Structure formats: C-alpha cells, structure tokens
Amino acid sequence: MIEVRNLVHRYGDARAVDGVSLTLADGEFVVVAGPNGSGKTTLVRHFNGLSTPDEGSVLVDGHDVTDHPVTARSSVAMVFQDPRECFVAATVGADVAFGPANLGLTHDAIEERRERALRAVRMDGREDERIDELSGGEQARVAIAGALAMDPTHLVLDEPFAGLDWPAREAVLDHLQALHERGTGVVVVTHDLRDVAASADRIVVLSDGRIALDGPLDAVEDRLAEFGVRPP
Ligand code: ADP
Ligand code: MG
C-alpha cells in the first residue's frame, strides 16, 4: 500500500504538489490524469523516494520512504516516460537482470526473475538483442520487464504511451491488464485517457498540484473536461 499524507513539493516558491493525500491499495489499477504541468510526474516520483517531501510524508507498506528508500524501491517500481532513461545495459537480458542483481539475489534467482519478466512482456528469447536496435514499442516493453524483474507490489508508469503507435499502445496496455489480473498494483500517469480509462479501478485527476477528482470512471467522467482532461 502507498499512503501519501499532506504532501507538498516546491520548486522555488511554486508548489508543484500542493497538499496531496492519497492511498493506493495493493492490486489497484489507478490512472493519474491531468493536464501538462499539473504535478503528476512530481507526485509519483515521491512514491518510491526519488524525490523528498518539503512537507508531509509518503509511506510504502507502513514505512516512510525517506527513511527506507531501499524498501520503497523494491516495492514500487517506476517506468519513466522515455524508456531510454531507464536502461543501464546495452542488451535486453543484461538490462532486465540489472535490478535483481543489485538486490543481491543468487545467480539462479536472477535468471528466474529475468526469464519471468521477459516472458510477461513477450520478449523472451531476445536476451541478446541490442536495446538501441529495438522499436519504440519493444523498448517500452523491455523497460516494463526491467521494473517487473524487481517483483514490485506496485508498478508506476509515467506516460507509458507517449510516442507509441497504436499497436504498441495496445500491446503495452494488454500487459498492464494482465499484470493487474495477477495482483500487481498498476499506476498509469497520463494526460490522455484514451484506451486506459476503461481498465482503471479509479481515476485521480490533478489540477495545479491538488486532487480535483478521485473515483471510478463513471463517477468522474462528466467533470473531466472541467479540469482539462479529454474524456475517453
Ligand atoms: P506533469 O507531469 O503533470 O506535466 P510536473 O510534475 O512535471 O507536471 O510539473 C508540475 C509543475 O512543476 C509545472 O509547473 C512544472 O513546470 C514545474 N516543474 C517540474 N519540474 C521542475 C523542475 N525540475 N524545476 C522547476 N520546476 C519544475
Ligand atoms: Mg509529467
């Protein structure tokens, strides 16, 4: 479970996150929506301690992420908008094995996690391929596999569909739905609800760093446009 309590994040004098409280249960599929600049990226970077609160706190499974960053990072895996930012190795297999290797697992456990993660995104058998020679959709899937290999309770993806063509979008969304069905909590950050809204248990809309709407699609749908989010 991720609990955000009265979180404030400032850049200079500007409050990019302005008093957000939010609880994300294990296994929930949540979409965080809102126009560009509404604070989505700044908010989710707090979920695993990539940013430090100016006020308030974030707890993962009851542990404050500022005090327990390693616990937070193994429970909450993050995939950034540009998957190239996530890669640390040249080939698919080496990249996906990197996270588990850093957890200090045995060689066999690392192999097992790598295989399972690559199978989940249907990239198994392609361990030796160079990441920079893959398509955008394939790179997005490798980035997701890298996060899955950490065996997280929550997977957070910031604008995972940006720059993907329609078939790649569909493939990524299918994988997210399958993960959710297997019990992983999924948080998708997007300014564009197309396709993904129907999969979500809940939609959280940010506006100027605050939560403007929070509920299932049918409860928030009529008010999305008011906060600059195009209804699906
Ligand atoms: P979103 O992901 O919803 O587009 P961001 O969290 O990126 O929103 O940005 C929220 C606000 O904080 C915006 O006004 C943005 O310009 C500002 N901001 C984001 N990152 C920085 C930064 N590194 N330095 C200064 N201001 C920033
Ligand atoms: Mg953003």
Side-chain angles (χ1 to χ4, degrees):
M1 182 163 75
I2 304 175
E3 293 171 86
V4 178
R5 297 181 176 168
N6 301 314
L7 180 69
V8 174
H9 185 109
R10 291 191 207 91
Y11 295 113
D13 291 335
R15 292 159 79 96
V17 174
D18 190 9
V20 165
S21 293
L22 182 66
T23 299
L24 305 178
D26 286 352
E28 249 187 326
F29 192 134
V30 180
V31 169
V32 176
N36 284 328
S38 56
K40 304 182 298 295
T41 295
T42 305
L43 172 65
V44 301
R45 287 176 58 87
H46 284 269
F47 290 180
N48 72 350
L50 289 172
S51 295
T52 306
D54 288 309
E55 291 174 32
S57 57
V58 178
L59 285 78
V60 171
D61 299 332
H63 301 288
D64 192 305
V65 300
T66 309
D67 302 330
H68 300 91
V70 176
T71 309
R73 260 165 237 181
S74 48
S75 299
V76 181
M78 203 80 77
V79 178
F80 295 102
Q81 173 162 10
D82 182 351
R84 284 166 297 189
E85 281 179 47
C86 307
F87 299 130
V88 293
T91 62
V92 170
D95 191 82
V96 174
F98 181 84
N102 272 346
L103 294 177
L105 302 174
T106 64
H107 178 78
D108 286 352
I110 295 167
E111 284 294 294
E112 200 267 326
R113 289 220 189 169
R114 168 164 70 186
E115 272 169 38
R116 187 158 38 96
L118 285 172
R119 241 186 349 258
V121 299
R122 292 193 206 100
M123 289 293 289
D124 43 321
R126 302 182 60 179
E127 286 81 356
D128 296 331
E129 292 186 31
R130 288 190 59 89
I131 292 171
D132 58 11
E133 288 170 359
L134 300 176
S135 70
E138 290 165 339
Q139 289 184 352
R141 281 150 61 193
V142 174
I144 292 170
L148 290 181
M150 300 300 284
D151 212 0
T153 56
H154 294 267
L155 178 62
V156 181
L157 305 101
D158 194 356
E159 305 277 3
F161 307 117
L164 297 189
D165 59 15
W166 187 80
R169 242 182 114 92
E170 288 297 295
V172 170
L173 188 57
D174 283 349
H175 294 310
L176 297 182
Q177 281 163 342
L179 279 174
H180 176 230
E181 279 158 24
R182 276 182 266 141
T184 305
V186 177
V187 179
V188 175
V189 175
T190 182
H191 65 280
D192 176 0
L193 288 180
R194 260 181 319 167
D195 318 336
V196 71
S199 306
D201 297 317
R202 181 175 162 203
I203 298 178
V204 174
V205 175
L206 287 188
S207 173
D208 290 331
R210 297 182 184 199
I211 294 179
L213 301 171
D214 182 355
L217 178 62
D218 55 0
V220 300
E221 203 166 15
D222 294 343
R223 298 193 59 204
L224 291 170
E226 211 179 299
F227 297 101
V229 177
R230 195 151 45 107

